[in-house]
Amino acid sequence: MASQPILLDYWPSIFGMRARVALREKGVEFEYKVGDLTNKSPLLLQSNPIHKKIPVLIHNGKPVCESLNVVHYVDEAWPDKNPFFPSDPYGRAHARFWDDFVDKKFSEAQFKIWGKKGEEQEEGKKEFIEAVKILESELGDKPYFGGDGFGYVDISLIPFYSWFPAYERFGNFSIEAESPKLIAWAKMCMEKESVSKSLPDSEKIVAYAAEFRKNSLGSE
Amino acid sequence: MANEVILLDFWPSMFGMRTRIALREKGVEFEYREEDLRNKSPLLLQMNPVHKKIPVLIHNGKSVNESIIQVQYIDEVWSHKNPLLPSDPYLKAQARFWADFIDKKMDDAQRKVWATKGEEQEAGKKEFIEILKTLETELGDKPYFAGDDFGYVDIALIGYYTWFPAYEKYGNFSIESECPKLIAWAKKCLERETVAKSLPDPEKVIGFVSELRKRFGLE
């Protein structure tokens, strides 16, 4: 008999949050193991020997690594509830494209805002705002990126929302002023229990980012 | 409705090669259009406004961008022939993981081998060989990455093989002596007509890289 899946994770990780949201969307009970990334567990190193990173989903003893891969896998392993993708190949390719955009453009830019300062940070802010506007344009008037249903692109993007107050604090700007539609979308996602249960309190993330900045940049 | 398939591409692109192979594996007739990357066509800019890059797959007027996404799309649309991905969710996740590994690691490392010199190049060579060795370990004794059948991970990787002689020439090393099993795998892939037709002559690639190196002031 299959045992509960295990999710190896780290509480502030955007990538971990994607996996949490995906599992909860499918109503899957899972064992959540929060790690210490400065002292990685033998289970993590054994389950993801190539990248040694979280999240790792261990299902029936077999590991699945890389957050978007985990989300795909969860959708396919529990296909009966809340599909994350449309059924037509073009719709699926479209979702994968936007997901790839989030990972390529959004993800890198946001790190520069909270993890860097000076010119690099300013560059990050500019890139981030550009990416946000492109995403907002893609969202259009749809309730979710997936259309009427919460789906793959929503799952890959919503975790960043828990970091928005940190970006605003350290980047000294207002994301809502730049992109009100995206904020409205995010608030709507947060009304879903699968999302609100999976994202940490933003104040904790601000404090986490502040610590990181003190340690790596010498000041906040 | 007739299937109209156009591929906007650039002949030495390992990414374009993936899409060419996937289409041929499925027996799909397509129109190949060569792009001049220093003078991108209006069609390219219209069909891929976000990244403005090749390859762009245009199927019945709608564009699909990013090579690895195109391969999955082709597999799903023409699902009746030569499946490129396994049907089991776990095996599919494994295939995606390795294609993602190739995408994350190969591009930067290979670029350092031919586009840099001195210490940076040596570091790039070391990294590149490590990546190939990791892939070789994953391949193991299987004929192809997924086992008996040519598929997704093979398609993601094989295009780089036409660049190997260029890496060896400008990096001054032998890939076969470091990774003989991987070379054997590549030669086996080249026996497939779909692959042989989709990959350019490595000599032409060397010529192309030589031009780029001149432009970067490395020759």
Side-chain angles (χ1 to χ4, degrees):
Chain A
M1 180 176 165
S3 54
Q4 237 181 33
I6 299 170
L7 181 65
L8 306 183
D9 200 351
Y10 182 49
W11 72 268
S13 163
I14 282 157
F15 307 106
M17 289 176 222
R18 290 169 169 173
R20 293 170 226 166
V21 173
L23 287 162
R24 289 186 169 114
E25 275 289 301
K26 297 289 188 175
V28 175
E29 297 283 334
F30 61 98
E31 186 186 340
Y32 182 75
K33 285 196 180 178
V34 186
D36 169 6
L37 297 189
T38 56
N39 184 20
K40 293 177 179 179
S41 70
L43 183 60
L44 172 57
L45 299 175
Q46 176 200 329
S47 310
N48 191 358
I50 301 292
H51 298 302
K52 305 178 177 52
K53 287 181 173 178
I54 58 89
V56 179
L57 178 69
I58 305 173
H59 185 214
N60 296 331
K62 298 195 281 195
V64 180
C65 309
E66 296 299 300
S67 65
L68 295 181
N69 205 11
V70 171
V71 176
H72 257 109
Y73 174 79
V74 168
D75 194 40
E76 288 162 6
W78 290 276
D80 302 324
K81 182 178 177 185
N82 287 350
F84 298 157
F85 282 98
S87 51
D88 70 296
Y90 185 76
R92 298 165 73 84
H94 193 80
R96 287 178 181 128
F97 174 84
W98 283 104
D99 207 77
D100 177 74
F101 176 86
V102 169
D103 262 9
K104 281 195 172 101
K105 302 279 188 181
F106 203 77
S107 189
E108 276 183 33
Q110 59 88 38
F111 176 68
K112 286 182 201 170
I113 299 174
W114 70 268
K116 303 283 177 186
K117 47 188 192 185
E119 251 185 69
E120 221 178 333
Q121 187 188 48
E122 283 308 307
E123 192 184 273
K125 268 167 74 176
K126 190 164 166 281
E127 280 166 19
F128 180 81
I129 290 169
E130 253 171 56
V132 154
K133 288 196 190 292
I134 291 174
L135 285 166
E136 202 181 46
S137 162
E138 168 57 22
L139 178 66
D141 292 318
K142 307 193 296 290
Y144 298 109
F145 282 89
D148 290 324
F150 181 78
Y152 187 60
V153 182
D154 306 285
I155 293 173
S156 80
L157 186 59
I158 192 57
F160 291 95
Y161 181 65
S162 62
W163 279 75
F164 278 15
Y167 307 154
E168 291 179 319
R169 157 98 180 259
F170 299 113
N172 195 27
F173 69 125
S174 156
I175 299 175
E176 185 150 18
E178 301 285 346
S179 180
K181 267 189 175 172
L182 205 67
I183 299 297
W185 159 83
K187 287 179 175 167
M188 194 158 96
C189 290
M190 289 296 290
E191 287 170 12
K192 293 174 76 64
E193 200 183 325
S194 60
V195 176
S196 59
K197 275 186 108 165
S198 302
L199 267 53
D201 179 349
S202 291
E203 281 308 306
K204 286 178 78 175
I205 291 186
V206 173
Y208 172 84
E211 259 314 294
F212 178 91
R213 288 176 70 84
K214 256 186 251 157
N215 293 334
S216 94
L217 304 171
S219 68
E220 274 198 29
Chain B
M1 181 183 176
N3 264 320
E4 188 204 45
V5 181
I6 300 170
L7 180 63
L8 307 183
D9 202 347
F10 180 49
W11 68 268
S13 163
M14 317 75 162
F15 307 105
M17 289 176 218
R18 292 167 172 176
T19 312
R20 291 170 225 168
I21 294 170
L23 286 165
R24 290 188 167 112
E25 282 286 313
K26 299 291 188 170
V28 176
E29 297 285 332
F30 64 100
E31 183 191 337
Y32 177 91
R33 288 193 198 172
E34 192 68 41
E35 284 281 334
D36 173 359
L37 297 190
R38 285 180 288 174
N39 185 19
K40 293 175 180 177
S41 72
L43 185 62
L44 170 55
L45 299 175
Q46 178 199 338
M47 290 291 169
N48 191 357
V50 175
H51 299 304
K52 306 177 176 53
K53 286 181 172 179
I54 57 90
V56 178
L57 180 69
I58 308 172
H59 182 208
N60 295 333
K62 298 205 285 194
S63 63
V64 180
N65 298 314
E66 296 300 306
S67 61
I68 218 74
I69 294 173
Q70 288 161 357
V71 175
Q72 289 177 80
Y73 174 80
I74 291 163
D75 196 38
E76 290 170 7
V77 172
W78 290 278
S79 54
H80 55 284
K81 183 181 175 179
N82 283 353
L84 304 177
L85 276 160
S87 50
D88 169 73
Y90 182 71
L91 294 175
K92 222 187 236 185
Q94 289 297 94
R96 286 198 182 109
F97 175 86
W98 285 105
D100 177 73
F101 174 85
I102 291 162
D103 261 4
K104 280 194 167 89
K105 303 279 189 180
M106 283 290 279
D107 206 43
D108 271 352
Q110 61 88 37
R111 185 170 295 120
K112 285 184 201 154
V113 172
W114 64 264
T116 66
K117 47 188 190 182
E119 258 182 60
E120 204 183 345
Q121 189 187 41
E122 286 307 307
K125 273 163 68 177
K126 193 163 166 279
E127 206 186 311
F128 181 72
I129 290 294
E130 259 171 52
I131 292 164
L132 291 187
K133 283 189 192 292
T134 301
L135 288 164
E136 201 179 46
T137 304
E138 172 57 22
L139 178 66
D141 292 319
K142 307 193 297 291
Y144 299 109
F145 279 89
D148 290 326
D149 297 318
F150 179 79
Y152 191 66
V153 182
D154 308 290
I155 292 174
L157 185 59
I158 191 60
Y160 287 95
Y161 180 65
T162 51
W163 283 67
F164 280 13
Y167 304 151
E168 291 178 319
K169 175 165 176 174
Y170 297 112
N172 196 26
F173 67 130
S174 156
I175 298 175
E176 184 151 18
S177 62
E178 301 279 356
C179 302
K181 271 189 171 170
L182 206 64
I183 298 298
W185 157 83
K187 288 180 175 165
K188 197 172 145 88
C189 291
L190 259 300
E191 287 170 12
R192 294 176 82 77
E193 199 188 328
T194 57
V195 176
K197 276 185 106 164
S198 304
L199 268 49
D201 179 352
E203 283 305 309
K204 282 184 77 178
V205 175
I206 290 176
F208 172 72
V209 174
S210 168
E211 276 307 307
L212 284 178
R213 281 172 61 86
K214 273 186 216 137
R215 226 188 287 160
F216 298 163
L218 292 163
E219 279 192 16

